[in-house]
Amino acid sequence: MSVKAIMIGAGIRGAQVYAPYALQHPEQLQFVAIAEPNISRRTAFAEQHHIEPKHVYSDWWDVLSKPAFADVVFICTQDRMHYEVAMQAMKMGYHVLLEKPISPLPEECLEMERAARKYDRLLTICHVLRYTPFWSSIKQIVDKGDIGQIVNIQLRENIGYAHMAHSYVRGNWNQSETSSPIILSKSCHDLDLISWLMRQDCERITSFGSLFHFRKENAPEGAPVYCADGCPYESTCSFVDYRYYLGEGRRRASHFTQELSDEGILRDLRKSPYGRCVYACDNDVVDHQIVNMQFANGATAAFSLSAFTHDSSRIVQITGTRGEIRGDLSKQSFTVFDFSTGKQEEHHAHDEGHEGIDAMIREVCQNISGYSKNTLTSARSSIQSHMIAFAAEESRLNYGKMIELHELVEHYLRCLPPNRSELKRMHTLR
């Protein structure tokens, strides 16, 4: 019997990244309900997955207030909706696969993890990078002790100038108050990888970063609010909207149009927030940041992110007492150096781009079906990376103040009011 699932939010992540697994492996997973406010997305998802009309909803509450009729809920909503939807799903008896981050609020992260234990539900966080051939191969080498004990990890995330402009300047994740800080919304993946590889409790964090470039005062003289309004810098600007959406960013154009032809993109871009000049947006998340971490055994880690790179990639260096690893995710390769022999060995991951996603969803199905109890990215295993992100943001906002992580977590736990476990519906799926 295949696992029966409900999809909450049929945007790019839900409909185009996770849901195709059910079409490719119907013997393992079947979507039996959809909740999505956008009628075009809702209808398309229902037709593609052959969902009965009675289980097609515009509002997540309408499906999650009914007695449970499936096994798992995929939650792919905006960040600030995660808490209510996940808490209600677990309360009604569903397992949950939750898009990262868990929540933009530390108290909600802690309470959701606690609720998963209370209701004995799987709460799997979509840290898909753990499942990819590149990172899982590095993890195996580290765990075997081939480079000895880890002394330091350096991980750099190159966001890419075009991706930054789309998602974090013009897009849904451009404000901390409406989504979450970029260190959480974008880079909780990276902090999760560091915690996973290190296998130690993080104790202290410092961080620096700022919104360096994408500000109104950096707009060239005479630049209009919208790129299409006759911008005199069209030929020289790095961030012209249509250049990206008619090229490598065409898939992301589905954020503002259902018609991905050149004509449809250009027409709808003119009336979309994604057509704004990058210097005329309402963004406030940083475009560069560094985070320094000290772990319980004295090992250290440094993470940095930057918008100002030509590509989107991750570069890692892990130094150990017996050797080191250097890798580049964009090249799907890493090198292991052995200090005692002087040898170095090249490893190639051969990731087609969906292996990590498939492995994650397969694990969820196996856990629910009782074939496995291996949960690689449970909420419990993801909490530390989220807390590091919250600590990093507090440090950044306080001029690099050193944050003791256990003190911060204890503070958040004390802040949980007694009645938070009583779910009160305040939002609809928008």
Side-chain angles (χ1 to χ4, degrees), residues 103-367:
S103 167
L105 301 179
E107 300 92 336
E108 291 184 352
C109 291
L110 293 167
E111 188 171 4
M112 289 160 70
E113 189 276 329
R114 188 168 62 186
R117 287 186 280 115
K118 172 185 175 182
Y119 295 118
D120 193 23
R121 298 290 91 188
L122 293 173
L123 177 55
T124 299
I125 312 305
C126 293
H127 285 305
V128 297
L129 291 180
R130 286 198 188 194
Y131 297 88
T132 60
F134 179 86
W135 291 108
S136 60
S137 297
I138 288 177
K139 174 68 169 172
Q140 289 173 9
I141 290 168
V142 167
D143 287 351
K144 281 194 303 180
D146 288 358
I147 64 168
Q149 192 173 11
I150 291 178
V151 178
N152 175 261
I153 297 175
Q154 295 185 56
L155 179 57
R156 175 179 176 84
E157 181 172 14
N158 298 326
I159 296 176
Y161 71 96
H163 186 191
M164 181 73 191
H166 166 75
S167 295
Y168 306 101
V169 178
R170 293 168 169 140
N172 291 330
W173 297 273
N174 70 346
Q175 292 185 8
S176 295
E177 287 299 317
T178 57
S179 59
S180 55
I182 197 170
I183 192 67
L184 184 65
S185 63
K186 184 72 174 76
S187 299
C188 65
H189 272 317
D190 305 272
L191 300 178
D192 176 71
L193 289 169
I194 290 172
S195 295
W196 183 50
L197 292 167
M198 192 69 78
R199 293 192 303 176
Q200 293 283 320
D201 288 337
C202 183
E203 294 188 337
R204 298 174 185 87
I205 296 100
T206 62
S207 182
F208 298 90
S210 67
L211 179 55
F212 185 87
H213 182 68
F214 298 103
R215 303 184 302 187
K216 290 178 173 58
E217 57 265 36
N218 289 327
E221 185 176 355
V225 173
Y226 278 77
C227 295
D229 291 342
C231 181
Y233 304 97
E234 180 179 349
S235 63
T236 57
C237 180
S238 303
F239 308 103
V240 175
D241 54 2
Y242 72 81
R243 188 181 300 144
Y244 177 63
Y245 296 116
L246 296 182
E248 63 175 303
R250 188 177 294 269
R251 179 176 68 90
R252 289 195 169 101
S254 61
H255 279 108
F256 59 82
T257 183
Q258 297 297 309
E259 188 180 337
L260 296 181
S261 65
D262 288 0
E263 295 77 13
I265 290 173
L266 291 173
R267 180 194 65 234
D268 293 339
L269 192 56
R270 290 175 175 272
K271 55 187 177 182
S272 163
Y274 291 93
R276 292 176 295 179
C277 171
V278 292
Y279 307 107
C281 295
D282 51 356
N283 57 299
D284 63 14
V285 299
V286 304
D287 51 27
H288 71 114
Q289 188 168 355
I290 57 174
V291 183
N292 294 314
M293 293 154 269
Q294 184 179 52
F295 288 81
N297 66 347
T300 56
F303 169 69
S304 64
L305 67 88
S306 177
F308 307 103
T309 61
H310 72 278
D311 63 349
S312 297
S313 65
R314 287 177 168 91
I315 299 171
V316 64
Q317 181 176 10
I318 306 170
T319 60
T321 53
R322 294 175 49 193
E324 68 171 321
I325 298 172
R326 297 186 186 186
D328 185 337
L329 180 61
S330 66
K331 297 178 180 178
Q332 289 295 307
S333 66
F334 61 91
T335 304
V336 181
F337 301 85
D338 188 308
F339 296 159
S340 62
T341 65
K343 293 181 179 179
Q344 60 184 61
E345 184 177 358
E346 296 284 338
H347 294 257
H348 299 277
H350 302 298
D351 191 340
E352 297 296 328
H354 55 80
E355 279 86 346
I357 294 164
D358 287 358
M360 178 187 70
I361 298 177
R362 182 166 56 250
E363 180 188 277
V364 169
C365 293
Q366 289 174 347
N367 274 292

Side-chain angles (χ1 to χ4, degrees), residues 15-59:
Q16 299 180 29
V17 176
Y18 303 133
Y21 187 88
L23 301 176
Q24 297 157 7
H25 304 280
E27 76 286 357
Q28 296 180 36
L29 181 67
Q30 176 188 2
F31 283 98
V32 297
I34 172 65
E36 163 60 50
N38 183 290
I39 187 170
S40 298
R41 292 177 180 175
R42 182 170 71 242
T43 301
F45 191 95
E47 290 177 352
Q48 190 172 31
H49 292 271
H50 307 290
I51 296 174
E52 297 180 42
K54 67 178 181 179
H55 290 316
V56 177
Y57 306 88
S58 61
D59 191 313

